[in-house]
């Protein structure tokens, strides 16, 4: 970040919001952790929210499963109890018949009748028989009507019956055998000891049950509609199954032992219901989609904030950079709003006018740095600037410091735009031109001294001619006076004669005095002045001095002036200096020419509204290669020349807003000066 040179810690600078916004205070360094947290907090919270919602969805699905399972367990227990109760009941009923057989003889018809009653107790009972050990056929075999006369007992594997009989004999009570599979389905035998036969052989009552029928009979229809019910032996081999609603899905299952006297069966239930997944899945999908959107919007927000932070940083840098620029600038900067109120000043401007920035910002016209005598001028300028008529051209005026001293300034105004391109005020740069003015003044004085020196040189060159010129009137005066004295001494002089001689002497003395005065005026250092100057008078005044030189070099001089020329405005002495310089150069240029060619023509004529004065010679001319240099200072081709003449002439003419130039002619040169019409 750029820092103002030599102005550290100047944060108290007052800056208007329209001009430069104050920089935001930089966050304390200890907040790094906080910043990091601020960045990541939404992400963490979003993650937690997602986790918690998923957990809840899972929990509800697990809960639902648990509830379904609990229901299944209860139902299964209920089914188990019904089955067990039925079988035990069957066992008890047969046991009753067995015990009656064991305690006394019973007529076969009575036994058959009781067995038929036994069979009618439940649809699961297929047959009931009385068998005697050693006899191949049963003593009595009663079958349920539904089996259609099939010999059920014969279909039961003998081993199952024998094993059950043995156990029954041992325990002397009714016992079930292992479940078996026969042609008609899965079955179960119940054997009850029935005492001994007349031969002493062991008699046993054998009942055969169908497990499928047992399930059909005892499992409630509603339960069977939604569950597969299976009965298997202890080795988990499926013996009977009721699956009216199809195979179970294996999601909700339960198994319990079905204990009946003599054997253990396994009862398994398996719900056809699938898991309640679609709700969970929809919920989970919803949560995931929401989480995705949440993260996406967080990311977008995050990216946007990052962009903004970056832009803010850039802006802060820019502001600091601009402040440093304003602070380090040596020229004064001042911003004003559309009402003319000062909204910003830089230190250079405050220093310039000797007031603090605080004292300046917020001020409205009239400003403390306006000089009282120029109030109207300032006011008019402010109004012009604020009405949008300010030009890009610099404006020169004088400001006043707090201590009352004045100093010249140059002001440049430019419109101040806000971010939308709307003008919110004006920015001005103010340059203190005191030094420039001083330098200008020094240069002017220098130039003046140079001009004087050049005039002195011209005079120095003319000195001998001047002596000659003065000699003539002085000689004439001497002769007139000597003549007058002689006449007086002779005593025969009339008053008129003497007066005439003295008048001539006086005229000569005046002529000499005029020459001296012209020389004196010419060399005297004067402030340049601007007055209307008649061209004829100007040329007449020069004439005496031109003739001095011309006579010495045998040059003829011709002067032509257009009638009714308007006067030119300027300093007559300086203009004379120019003309004398040009005529002297012309005469010098003809020094090597045959005497008949030595002719100098001076002419003055209108050029539009301007006046053009030309000095034409028939001399050596100016070589083309030197044409560029003749106006350069110190350029001369003469052994005793200074080379300053034309350079000074040009600056004099430019001082008069005129132009000085020359034309190269076939037989000489024409120098001309053009002067604008006077105001
Ligand atoms: P200086 O007369 O001291 O040399 P000036 O600046 O007056 O200085 O003139 C510079 C030079 O320009 C002269 O030395 C001369 O070579 C040339 N010059 C000026 N006027 C004429 C003229 N009318 N004809 C030919 N050359 C000229």
């Amino acid at each position: 970040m750029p820092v103002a040179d030599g102005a550290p810690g100047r944060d108290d600078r007052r800056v208007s919001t329209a001009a430069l916004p104050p920089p935001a205070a930089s966050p304390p360094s200890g907040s790094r952790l906080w910043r990091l947290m601020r960045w990541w907090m939404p992400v963490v919270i979003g993650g937690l929210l997602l986790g918690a919602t998923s957990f809840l969805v899972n929990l509800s699905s697990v809960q639902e499963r648990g509830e379904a399972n609990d229901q299944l367990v209860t139902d299964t227990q209920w089914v188990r109890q019904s089955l067990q109760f039925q079988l035990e009941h069957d066992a008890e009923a047969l046991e009753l018949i067995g015990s009656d057989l064991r305690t006394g003889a019973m007529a076969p018809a009575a036994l058959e009748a009781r067995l038929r009653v036994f069979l009618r107790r439940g649809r699961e009972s297929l047959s009931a028989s009385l068998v005697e050990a050693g006899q191949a056929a049963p003593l009595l075999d009663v079958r349920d009507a539904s089996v259609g006369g099939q010999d059920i007992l014969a279909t039961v594997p003998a081993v199952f019956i024998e094993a059950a009989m043995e156990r029954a004999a041992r325990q002397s009570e009714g016992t079930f055998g292992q479940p078996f599979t026969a042609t008609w389905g899965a079955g179960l035998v119940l054997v009850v000891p029935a005492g001994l036969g007349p031969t002493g052989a062991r008699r046993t009552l054998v009942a055969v049950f169908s497990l499928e029928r047992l399930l059909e009979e005892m499992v409630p229809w509603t339960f069977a509609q939604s569950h597969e019910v299976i009965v298997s032996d202890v080795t988990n081999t499926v013996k009977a199954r009721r699956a009216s609603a199809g195979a179970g899905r294996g999601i909700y299952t339960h198994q319990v032992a079905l204990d009946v006297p003599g054997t253990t069966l396994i009862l398994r239930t398996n719900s056809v219901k699938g898991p309640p997944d679609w709700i969970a899945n929809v919920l989970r999908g919803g949560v995931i989609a929401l989480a995705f959107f949440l993260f996406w919007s967080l990311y977008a927000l995050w990216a946007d904030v990052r962009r903004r932070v970056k832009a803010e940083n850039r802006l802060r840098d820019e502001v600091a950079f601009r402040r440093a620029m304003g602070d380090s600038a040596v020229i004064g900067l001042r911003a004003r709003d559309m009402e003319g109120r000062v909204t910003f000043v830089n230190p250079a401007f405050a220093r310039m006018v000797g007031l603090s920035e605080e004292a300046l910002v917020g001020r409205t016209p009239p400003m403390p740095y306006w000089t009282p005598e120029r109030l109207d001028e300032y006011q008019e300028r402010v109004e012009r600037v604020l009405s949008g008529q300010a030009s890009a051209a610099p404006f020169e005026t004088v400001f006043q410091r707090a201590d009352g001293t004045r100093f010249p300034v140059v002001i440049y105004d430019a419109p101040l735009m806000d971010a939308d391109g709307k003008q919110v005020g004006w920015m001005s740069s103010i340059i203190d031109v005191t030094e420039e003015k001083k330098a200008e003044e020094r240069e002017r004085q220098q130039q003046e001294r140079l001009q004087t020196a050049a005039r002195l040189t011209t005079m120095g060159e003319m000195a001998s001619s001047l002596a000659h010129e003065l000699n003539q009137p002085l000689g004439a005066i001497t002769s007139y006076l000597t003549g007058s004295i002689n006449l007086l001494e002779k005593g025969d002089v009339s008053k008129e004669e003497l007066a005439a001689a003295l008048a001539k002497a006086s005229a000569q003395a005046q002529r000499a005095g005029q020459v001296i005065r012209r020389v004196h005026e010419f060399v005297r250092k004067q402030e340049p002045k601007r007055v209307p100057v008649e061209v004829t008078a100007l040329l007449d005044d020069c004439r005496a001095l031109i003739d001095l030189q011309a006579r010495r070099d045998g040059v003829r001089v011709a002067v032509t002036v257009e009638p009714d020329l308007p006067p030119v405005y300027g300093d007559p002495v300086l203009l004379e200096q120019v003309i004398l310089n040009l005529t002297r150069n012309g005469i010098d240029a003809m020094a090597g020419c045959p005497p008949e060619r030595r002719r100098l023509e001076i002419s003055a004529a209108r050029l539009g509204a301007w006046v053009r004065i030309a000095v034409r010679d028939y001399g050596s001319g100016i070589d083309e290669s030197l044409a560029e240099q003749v106006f350069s200072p110190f350029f001369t081709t003469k052994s005793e020349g200074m080379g300053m003449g034309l350079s000074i002439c040009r600056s004099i003419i430019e001082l008069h807003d005129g132009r000085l130039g020359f034309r190269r002619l076939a037989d000489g040169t024409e120098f001309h000066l053009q002067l604008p019409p006077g105001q």
Side-chain angles (χ1 to χ4, degrees), residues 461 581-582 584-590 615 617 619-623 626 629-632 634-638 640-649 668-671:
E461 284 166 5
N581 225 305
L582 298 183
R584 195 203 60 200
N585 278 350
I587 292 168
D588 285 352
M590 294 188 287
V615 178
D617 65 63
S620 54
I622 296 174
D623 196 88
L626 302 177
Q629 301 174 38
V630 290
F631 290 107
S632 317
F634 305 113
F635 172 78
T636 180
T637 54
K638 302 169 192 166
E640 76 290 3
M642 261 200 357
M644 287 305 294
L646 285 179
S647 151
I648 290 172
C649 286
T669 316
E670 183 201 81
F671 273 84

Side-chain angles (χ1 to χ4, degrees), residues 259-537:
D259 281 325
V260 285
T263 189
T264 300
L265 300 172
I266 305 291
L267 175 70
R268 269 198 286 152
T269 49
N270 187 351
S271 173
V272 295
K273 246 199 330 192
D277 270 356
W278 71 271
I279 300 179
N281 282 345
V282 165
L283 279 178
R284 218 172 281 139
V287 167
I288 288 170
L290 277 179
F292 174 76
F293 278 121
L294 181 71
F295 278 111
W296 178 79
S297 65
L298 266 179
Y299 175 77
L301 202 71
W302 198 53
D304 189 55
V305 168
R306 275 187 84 90
R307 259 201 312 278
R308 273 164 199 278
V309 166
K310 264 191 192 157
E312 205 177 273
N313 282 344
R314 265 204 310 277
L315 197 70
R316 211 178 285 144
D317 283 357
E318 181 81 14
V319 168
F321 178 70
R322 276 170 199 270
R323 165 162 313 115
M325 247 165 61
D327 287 357
S328 62
V330 288
I331 59 170
L333 294 174
R334 174 195 62 187
R336 284 177 295 178
D337 64 15
M338 296 307 276
E339 276 85 54
R341 183 179 298 107
V342 174
T343 53
F344 162 77
V345 293
N346 74 338
F349 184 73
R351 267 197 307 277
M352 212 179 269
V353 296
L355 289 166
S356 70
E357 290 164 50
E358 287 74 18
L360 289 165
V361 172
R363 290 293 293 252
T364 46
M367 297 301 176
Y369 45 81
W370 287 4
T371 56
E373 66 273 15
R374 290 179 186 238
L375 282 182
D376 292 345
E377 175 193 317
Y378 295 134
Q379 196 63 51
E380 190 250 349
R381 165 87 184 160
V382 166
E383 272 158 25
R384 221 147 36 87
V385 167
L386 296 181
S387 65
Q389 296 167 17
S391 61
F395 167 71
E396 230 181 290
T397 187
V398 175
F399 276 176
Q400 171 176 285
R401 295 194 184 87
D403 61 8
T405 51
R406 315 284 162 96
F407 61 102
V409 289
V410 176
I411 303 172
Y412 296 80
D413 286 308
L416 189 64
M417 303 296 188
D418 69 3
D420 304 327
K422 200 179 124 236
Q423 186 176 351
V424 290
W426 290 90
M427 177 61 99
S428 320
S429 39
I430 298 109
I431 304 170
D432 180 348
V433 290
T434 312
E435 285 310 315
E436 285 81 344
K437 287 276 173 211
K438 276 190 193 154
E440 247 173 51
E441 178 61 20
R442 270 199 301 277
E443 198 186 334
R444 197 185 60 76
Q445 286 173 358
Q446 188 81 9
Q447 186 75 17
E448 239 168 56
R449 276 199 287 275
L450 259 176
Q451 286 162 5
T452 312
R455 284 199 294 274
L456 287 174
T457 316
T458 312
M459 278 335 292
E461 284 166 5
M462 288 183 181
S464 64
S465 321
L466 196 61
H468 175 75
E469 183 77 356
L470 285 177
N471 231 8
Q472 270 189 351
L474 287 178
I477 291 166
T478 315
S479 335
Y480 286 128
L481 291 180
T482 317
S484 302
I485 291 166
N486 287 341
L487 285 175
L488 279 174
E489 278 172 358
K490 279 188 209 155
D492 62 346
V493 61
S494 72
K495 202 175 154 192
E496 286 74 28
E497 276 177 330
L498 194 64
L502 285 177
K504 282 183 181 161
S506 159
Q508 288 300 325
Q510 264 175 14
R511 194 182 140 209
Q514 223 170 15
V515 173
I516 301 283
R517 208 169 32 256
R518 290 286 337 127
V519 170
H520 179 69
E521 261 181 29
F522 187 64
V523 297
R524 196 179 52 189
K525 179 183 174 293
Q526 277 185 326
E527 285 292 311
K529 54 184 177 186
R530 284 224 160 182
V531 291
V533 183
E534 289 297 337
V535 180
T536 327

Side-chain angles (χ1 to χ4, degrees), residues 6-36:
R10 300 194 62 170
D11 283 339
D12 55 342
R13 185 134 306 122
R14 282 187 59 189
V15 174
S16 121
T17 43
L20 285 175
S26 58
S29 57
S31 67
R32 235 185 102 89
L33 187 73
W34 165 237
R35 260 211 327 260
L36 234 133

